[in-house]
């Protein structure tokens, strides 16, 4: 039986992991895609990360989570520029 049954469950695990990984650098998190494939969830989020005293940069973070153990299997992070 899967511990992560819904998209809300997957988002909650991803958000908790983001908070542990980035700590005080973590700003606003907006989930843009949550998909289940086989026994894992892929969660994509637009994340604001502090990268200096007054500088906050947007990042796209993708987290892969095992639906049976809630363990994060991997992640990727890409900084992107906002259009001016």
């Amino acid at each position: 039986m899967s511990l992560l049954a819904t998209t809300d469950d997957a988002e909650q695990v991803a958000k908790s992991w983001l908070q542990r990984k980035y700590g005080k650098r973590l700003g606003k998190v907006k989930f843009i895609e949550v998909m289940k494939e086989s026994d894992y969830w892929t969660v994509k989020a637009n994340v604001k990360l502090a990268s200096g005293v007054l500088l906050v940069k947007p990042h796209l973070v993708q987290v892969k989570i095992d639906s049976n153990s809630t363990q994060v299997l991997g992640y990727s992070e890409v900084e992107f520029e906002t259009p001016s």
Side-chain angles (χ1 to χ4, degrees):
M1 183 173 153
S2 176
L3 292 174
L4 300 178
T6 67
T7 57
D8 289 338
D9 295 340
E11 286 177 359
Q12 185 60 38
V13 170
K15 187 158 188 171
S16 294
W17 182 84
L18 289 167
Q19 289 170 338
R20 286 192 308 276
K21 169 123 178 88
Y22 297 110
K24 292 182 180 184
R25 289 184 52 216
L26 184 64
K28 184 178 175 185
V29 176
K30 180 180 178 186
F31 294 105
I32 56 173
E33 185 177 317
V34 182
M35 292 186 329
K36 184 174 184 187
E37 295 180 36
S38 300
D39 288 336
Y40 65 88
W41 287 89
T42 302
V43 180
K44 292 181 184 177
N46 287 333
V47 176
K48 304 261 183 180
L49 293 177
S51 61
V53 177
L54 297 175
L55 190 58
V56 176
K57 294 185 177 180
H59 289 73
L60 175 66
V61 179
Q62 179 174 313
V63 181
K64 186 173 179 181
I65 306 166
D66 183 317
S67 64
N68 297 315
S69 69
T70 69
Q71 179 180 357
V72 172
L73 303 173
Y75 80 99
S76 66
E77 172 189 327
V78 178
E79 181 182 333
F80 61 93
E81 296 293 324
T82 55
S84 9

